């Protein structure tokens, strides 16, 4: 078996973002492009000789070809074994589960998450460490530094491996085990939730729909919801993974999951609806004619955690990303639990979970999870909600209304302006920063500004500091405006505007969020010069 050393030159722009390296498929298809980055990863993660690597992805276009390259490079670089999902499939939370369960050295996950797929769309790759979570910044920065001076990579000269048959195979002296992508994950879910109670709920006439959006969660949801839990056939819609996600945009929000939204807001709507994204780590929760914001979902899960067997002993604490609403903070305070505010990026939660400081965590971008893995987990959140519904036997809307009566309501919305010119996007944030010195103490949208800053986070576990994580305008009554540039796109820039206003008066809890936040929306646009600088008079997506 010939192990090749291929000489190469660096490519520009291979710095991993908050969720790895994401580019257009055609960028990854360039000769040596993927191999350069994979070698940079292998050169940056320590001594893995003879160790186990986990590999899998969301099934999008170029997934299979990329896995064959990675397998041959893993063999040439000295890994002893690779666990790969059948068909190249592993959802992101399932990959984390497999890494942890089998004590792998780490894993390579191939996904661009909620971004569109296809020959002209997006692809991505990220490295997860041995705890199952995304590589911390010091490792991703080492990877990037290596991409700048890489001059060769190692790869085995051998035939491709058949990924469609489970079993153990040899590839260039390395063992490759093609595994059922669902089984380990399903067993973990059974250990956390009361499947008997959920099965009884589903058998009682309770109706639900799960939209897999032709992405990776289709096989997982079908096996668990329709298989283990006995939901009727057809409960899972768009359940067949496709390389182009059926031509859709696999982002589980009110805009892109419109087929599910129309069902849940239509005549004879099911009692419960949910959707997940391209790689299975995000979730959207709906009731009959009712949308649960991700921020509220995290708060409800925290308040009801002990109803699920896996959390019956209580939770250690809660963490949320800085742009996520403070709804979970209020639950944590009432329970006497710590609540941490971190930058966006799941890797920041990993340290807190490994240190035993938190159990539940979430991001406003439809990501929720716990210490069962080290990634956000879409189907886990759906099963958690079903467990709560089975125990409480109340509609989704009633659970939320009672929650607001107890804790107050954090009206919250995110406005995304996608594909904005990068220079114009930076200018929007800079215009707000330029007013930091004069804004505190002034009135805006009928509220007094208490402070302005560019959010900085000091990790309480390892002391690392992350700066410039989002421009914040904070008000005395707890309201907030936040401006942030997203790191998950592949072209242009996405401006995310987050708006939050707290309302304690239960008589005012029934407003539409856009109406409740209308004055703040107008004020934020004027403050930042967003319309003038970008030419956009409305967001691409509102959630």
């Amino acid at each position: 078996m010939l192990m090749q050393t291929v000489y190469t030159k660096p490519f520009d722009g291979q710095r991993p973002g908050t969720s790895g390296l994401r580019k257009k498929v055609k960028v990854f298809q360039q000769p040596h492009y993927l191999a350069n980055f994979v070698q940079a990863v292998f050169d940056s993660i320590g001594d893995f000789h003879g160790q186990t690597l986990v590999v899998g992805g969301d099934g999008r276009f170029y997934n299979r070809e990329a896995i064959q390259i990675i397998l041959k490079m893993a063999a040439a670089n000295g890994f002893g074994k690779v666990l790969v999902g059948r068909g190249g499939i592993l959802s992101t939370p399932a990959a984390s589960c497999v890494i942890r369960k089998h004590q792998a050295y780490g894993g390579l996950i191939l996904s661009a998450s909620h971004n569109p797929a296809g020959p002209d769309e997006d692809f991505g790759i990220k490295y997860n460490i041995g705890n199952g979570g995304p590589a911390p910044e010091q490792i991703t920065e080492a990877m990037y530094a290596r991409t700048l001076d890489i001059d060769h990579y190692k790869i085995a000269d051998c035939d491709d491996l058949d990924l469609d048959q489970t079993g153990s195979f040899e590839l260039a002296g390395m063992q490759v085990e093609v595994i059922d992508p669902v089984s380990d994950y399903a067993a973990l879910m059974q250990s956390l939730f009361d499947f008997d109670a959920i099965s009884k709920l589903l058998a009682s006439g309770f109706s639900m729909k799960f939209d897999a959006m032709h992405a990776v969660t289709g096989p997982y949801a079908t096996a668990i919801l329709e298989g283990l839990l006995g939901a009727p056939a057809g409960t899972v819609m768009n359940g067949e993974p496709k390389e182009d996600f059926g031509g859709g945009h696999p982002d589980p929000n009110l805009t892109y999951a419109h087929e599910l939204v129309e069902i849940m807001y239509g005549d004879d709507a099911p009692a419960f609806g949910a959707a997940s994204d391209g790689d299975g780590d995000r979730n959207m929760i709906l009731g009959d004619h009712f949308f649960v914001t991700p921020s509220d979902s995290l708060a409800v899960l925290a308040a009801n955690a002990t109803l699920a067997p896996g959390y019956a002993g209580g939770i250690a604490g809660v963490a949320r990303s800085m742009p996520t609403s403070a709804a979970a903070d209020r639950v944590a305070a009432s329970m006497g639990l710590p609540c941490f505010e971190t930058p966006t990026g799941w890797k920041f939660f990993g340290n807190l979970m490994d240190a035993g400081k938190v159990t539940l965590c979430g991001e406003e971008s439809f990501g929720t999870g716990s210490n069962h893995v080290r990634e956000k987990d879409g189907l886990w959140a759906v099963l958690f909600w079903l467990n709560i519904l089975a125990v409480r036997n109340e509609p989704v809307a009633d659970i939320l209304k009672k929650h607001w009566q107890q804790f107050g309501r954090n009206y919250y919305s995110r406005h995304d302006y996608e594909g904005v010119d990068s220079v114009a996007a930076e200018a929007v944030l800079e215009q707000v920063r330029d007013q930091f010195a004069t804004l505190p103490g002034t009135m805006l949208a009928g509220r007094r500004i208490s402070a302005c800053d560019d959010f900085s986070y000091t990790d309480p576990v390892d002391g690392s500091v992350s700066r410039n994580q989002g421009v914040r305008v904070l008000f005395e009554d707890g309201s907030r405006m936040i401006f942030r540039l997203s790191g998950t796109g592949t072209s242009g820039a996405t401006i995310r505007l987050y708006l939050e206003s707290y309302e304690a008066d239960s008589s005012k809890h029934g407003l539409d969020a856009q109406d409740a936040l209308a004055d703040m929306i107008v004020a934020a646009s004027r403050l930042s010069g967003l319309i003038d600088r970008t030419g956009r008079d409305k967001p691409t997506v509102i959630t």
Side-chain angles (χ1 to χ4, degrees), residues 511-533:
L511 298 176
D512 180 272
Q514 303 309 310
D515 294 333
L517 296 166
D519 56 347
M520 294 187 70
I521 294 169
V522 172
S525 180
R526 291 175 179 169
L527 179 71
S528 64
L530 194 151
I531 295 175
D532 291 339
R533 292 187 178 278

Side-chain angles (χ1 to χ4, degrees), residues 128-396:
N128 280 30
I129 60 176
N131 74 347
E137 286 185 317
Q138 61 266 32
I139 294 179
T140 58
E141 283 302 301
M143 294 173 190
Y144 174 60
R146 181 64 179 125
T147 69
L148 298 176
D149 62 11
I150 193 165
D151 60 1
H152 71 278
Y153 61 84
K154 300 174 185 177
I155 189 167
D157 182 13
C158 59
D159 293 334
D160 287 353
L161 189 71
D162 181 3
L163 298 177
D164 293 318
Q165 302 296 324
T166 57
S168 294
F169 309 91
E170 183 185 342
L171 187 143
M174 179 183 73
Q175 182 185 0
V176 178
E177 188 172 344
V178 181
I179 63 172
D180 178 341
V182 176
S183 59
D184 286 337
Y185 177 84
L188 180 58
M189 294 302 104
Q190 285 181 292
S191 74
L192 296 173
F193 301 114
D194 189 341
F195 272 35
D196 287 341
I198 298 172
S199 295
K200 290 176 182 176
L201 174 72
L202 294 172
S204 70
F206 178 91
S207 57
M208 70 166 288
K209 279 287 185 183
F210 179 89
D211 188 354
M213 303 186 82
H214 287 303
V216 78
T217 49
Y220 294 85
T222 301
I224 294 173
L225 295 175
E226 296 185 9
L228 295 173
L229 293 170
T235 295
V236 177
M237 53 191 284
N238 301 319
E240 179 188 354
K242 296 183 177 180
E243 286 193 334
D244 65 349
F245 299 141
H249 189 150
D251 195 352
N253 58 45
L254 296 172
T255 299
Y256 294 127
H258 56 85
E259 185 179 356
L260 175 67
V261 172
E262 288 167 7
I263 291 172
M264 297 306 300
Y265 281 83
D267 296 335
D268 300 318
F272 182 70
S276 192
D277 70 328
D279 67 332
D281 63 358
R282 300 182 183 218
N283 73 93
M284 178 172 67
I285 302 297
L286 297 163
D288 181 351
H289 289 75
F290 194 90
F291 168 62
V292 181
T293 71
S295 298
D296 277 342
S297 182
L298 173 63
V300 169
L301 295 185
N304 293 274
T306 56
L307 300 184
Y311 309 94
I315 58 177
V318 182
R320 62 166 175 85
S321 66
M322 179 273 290
T324 303
S325 94
D329 302 42
R330 300 182 185 280
V331 174
S334 74
M335 299 170 69
L337 297 174
C339 185
F340 297 86
E341 183 181 42
T342 75
T344 296
W346 210 258
K347 55 193 172 187
F348 294 102
F349 296 141
N351 271 1
L352 297 172
M353 290 187 285
D354 285 348
K357 292 181 177 293
V358 302
T359 304
L360 301 184
C361 43
E363 296 179 336
E364 49 70 38
S365 53
F366 294 85
T368 328
S370 85
N371 60 353
H372 70 290
V373 291
R374 292 298 183 268
E375 290 279 3
K376 47 187 175 277
D377 190 345
L379 191 51
W380 166 90
V382 174
L383 292 168
F384 209 147
W385 265 96
L386 286 171
N387 201 145
I388 292 169
L389 291 166
V391 175
R392 291 189 54 165
N393 195 29
E394 297 173 279
V396 171

Side-chain angles (χ1 to χ4, degrees), residues 423-444:
V423 174
E426 289 285 357
V428 168
L429 270 66
E430 196 59 34
Q431 179 162 322
V432 181
R433 289 191 188 100
D434 288 345
Q435 301 173 74
F436 276 4
T438 58
L439 283 174
T442 64
M443 299 295 292
L444 186 66

Side-chain angles (χ1 to χ4, degrees), residues 10 76 102-103 112 114 135 149 172 211 225 310 330 335 371 425 435 475-476 480-481 494 496 510 520:
H102 297 275
Q103 298 181 316
H114 55 293
D149 62 11
D211 188 354
L225 295 175
R330 300 182 185 280
M335 299 170 69
N371 60 353
Q435 301 173 74
F475 297 84
E476 289 182 354
R480 301 188 301 164
M481 292 177 185
T494 295
R496 299 203 198 281
M520 294 187 70

